[in-house]
Amino acid sequence: MASAWSGPIEKIDDYRWLIPRRYKPGMRTDGLIFAREKMLAKIKEDMAPEQVANVAFLPGIVGYSMAMPDIHWGYGFPIGGVAAFDIREGVISPGGVGYDINCGVRILRTNLTLEEIKPYLPSLLDEIFHNVPSGVGSEGKLRLSNEELRQVMIQGARWAVRKGYGGEKDLEHTEENGEMEGADPQKVSPRAMERGRSQLGTLGSGNHFLEIQAVSEIYDRKSAQVMGIDKEGQITVMIHTGSRGFGHQICDEYVKKLLQSAQHYNIHLPDRQLACAPFSSPEGKAYFSAMVCAANYAWANRQIITHWVREAFEKVFKKSAEELGLELIYDVAHNIAKVEEHTINGKKLKVVVHRKGATRAFAPEHPLIPRDYREIGQPVIVPGDMGRASYLLVGTERAMEETFGSTCHGAGRLMSRAQASRSVRGQEVKRRMEEQGILVKAASFATLTEEIPEAYKDVSEVVATCDGAGISKKVAKLRPLAVIKG
Amino acid sequence: MPRYRTIRHTADKAIDAWGRSLPELFENSAYGTFSLIADINRLKPEIKKEVKLPNNKDIPLMLVEWLSELLYIFDTEKILFCRFKVNSLDERGIDSVCEGVKVRPDLPWRGSYVKAVTYHNLKVERTEKGYRAKIFFDV
């Protein structure tokens, strides 16, 4: 099934590869993949490059149909895909955002060092595991009324802060301040609300995780310091989750609706999963408003979980979160569509940028990044697999010029989940990780086998490619100490 | 004829399902879908649920919608389905009875939560012996 892709691909430079539009009649632009030559063979092993070409069919696409170095085979759009469409003539596609709307990642700093945390790690992990519901079918501790759920859709993380989960500073350090504009709960079905109601404040399963890490290398001391990272061995906490069943249901319903819209507006789709509608059409606007509701739900979710993580630290260390310096460095979305202004061929243009498994990476001085980060650029958080490393980067001017201010979002899968599970048993994964000094706690051993480090590309390669191509800049490397998997 | 088999896919999961008739194809597709989530062979059904959907004039879309409905019930009513019976599939739509168990931590979970049934490369084909479907999931 996973037959190799054999279409044309032309080298532009050491980091850029072009799929020319002549490859398939109907492509409106070229495809562009960011990768190093040695990664390319793997990328061509499945149909991900075909998906880059397919996205180029969609009306109103501006610039290239792009893929970041963590590109892998998705459905419809590739994972790692970035595509921008003119808001007057172009489309919006739920498949270009994905089912887990605003799946994203945040990172907290602490004042703690490796030596200080070590004796407490097992009890800390237990405490967090107990405090943050995770796993298949897990239920949250909150029970929201319809009115509260509507407030979550509009206010996002601000709703959570108003309810006592964290503070104002957290909002300043969240993309869109955790409260994206344009939400309209009327565009969300009662079914989506039903599915989302019991899942706010849950981590979920699959690749979602919560990790305690130590800074292992600093590449850019000045930027690191601005983010509150002062030294190697400093402890950080990473949270990776999204909008749970609420986002899945919204995506599901709108893919179905927009399949009809595509027919209505005579849009030719090379794959049904690319279902879309003109951004300016009633259907396109409806999806965008519903998507914003799910994005805000996801920011509220990460904010609530952050609060419970802080509580766990407070209980174990018998100090306040302030004393422990548990501050949010930043929170990024990596499955989202955004209306942004970009300069294309010297002209300013409003586009709807789809990032599906890609992270915004805005340059220094951009007005949409927090004041305290203006000088260094937007922090970019790139989680890796549970055995190796994660990275902190910053956005660059080159990203603004080339990728609509976007970069990679993670390691990218290499091995199918089924292959990974066949290769090893859950207990064995846990033991191997513990031999490397990484504590693991999982709601299910089965998830562990699907998420083994070997199932992923080496995140260091992916990050080095983005850094080499200039679309983001490395700041620090973090290594896992303790991991919670759903 | 096997009921289904899983297909290799890098990031997500996919299945091939077979059936001598369309109702059987639907049943086997559901069996394959829920088998990604847990070892449903080991379950004894406790709850019965009638699931009906109107006709939408397109068999592949109908299949996705019905499977999505079952996942929706799994997520909202916390029922893990393990037996599937399609009583009728015609111009009136689909009429099915699905049986399962209440979700709890000690079920034989396989670790994959299926977020959604996608329309990516969706296919329902006639074969010599009946029907075959190819379905991709977001996990």
Side-chain angles (χ1 to χ4, degrees), chain B residues 84-114:
Chain B
F84 310 89
K85 182 74 194 139
V86 175
N87 293 321
S88 66
L89 177 61
D90 52 29
E91 63 284 349
R92 286 164 302 168
I94 185 165
D95 187 344
S96 66
V97 175
C98 303
E99 294 177 80
V101 299
K102 199 79 187 158
V103 164
R104 48 177 188 266
D106 63 348
L107 295 177
W109 298 110
R110 289 213 161 114
S112 281
Y113 166 72
V114 177

Side-chain angles (χ1 to χ4, degrees), chain A residues 439-456:
Chain A
L439 296 182
V440 185
K441 228 172 153 65
S444 132
F445 276 130
T447 309
L448 274 187
T449 62
E450 293 187 348
E451 295 293 321
I452 50 170
E454 305 91 286
Y456 286 89

Side-chain angles (χ1 to χ4, degrees), chain A residues 382-402:
Chain A
V382 182
D385 61 74
M386 61 183 175
R388 282 176 282 198
S390 295
Y391 284 87
L392 258 174
L393 297 89
V394 280
T396 62
E397 199 48 54
R398 187 118 191 226
M400 302 312 294
E401 289 161 13
E402 282 192 40

Side-chain angles (χ1 to χ4, degrees), chain A residues 129-177:
Chain A
F129 191 73
H130 173 75
N131 237 5
V132 182
S134 66
V136 179
S138 60
E139 295 225 308
K141 299 185 266 187
L142 307 168
R143 284 291 170 273
L144 302 184
S145 67
N146 281 341
E147 186 43 39
E148 280 175 310
L149 195 50
R150 274 190 279 271
Q151 293 302 315
V152 170
M153 294 184 221
I154 296 167
Q155 299 175 6
R158 182 170 300 280
W159 178 86
V161 168
R162 284 204 175 122
K163 290 278 172 183
Y165 300 96
E168 198 65 30
K169 193 87 196 290
D170 295 335
L171 301 177
E172 284 169 29
H173 280 184
T174 303
E175 189 171 325
E176 299 289 337
N177 299 320

Side-chain angles (χ1 to χ4, degrees), chain A residues 1 46 72-75 99 139 191 194-195 199 205 248 255-256 271-273 415-417 446 450, chain B residues 7 9-13 58 65 69 72 75 78 110-113 115-116 118-121 138-139:
Chain A
M1 176 61 208
D46 61 32
H72 59 259
W73 193 15
Y75 36 83
Y99 286 91
E139 295 225 308
R191 283 166 65 85
E194 207 41 52
R195 202 168 164 186
Q199 296 186 356
S205 61
H248 311 160
V255 171
K256 200 161 80 183
D271 180 355
R272 275 175 158 169
Q273 195 64 32
M415 204 187 270
S416 77
R417 288 181 155 91
E450 293 187 348
Chain B
I7 309 173
H9 185 280
T10 322
D12 292 294
K13 282 191 171 165
D58 183 321
E65 278 179 33
E69 183 64 26
Y72 179 79
D75 227 10
K78 308 286 172 202
R110 289 213 161 114
S112 281
Y113 166 72
K115 288 176 191 163
T118 80
Y119 298 88
H120 172 57
N121 285 355
D138 185 2
V139 294

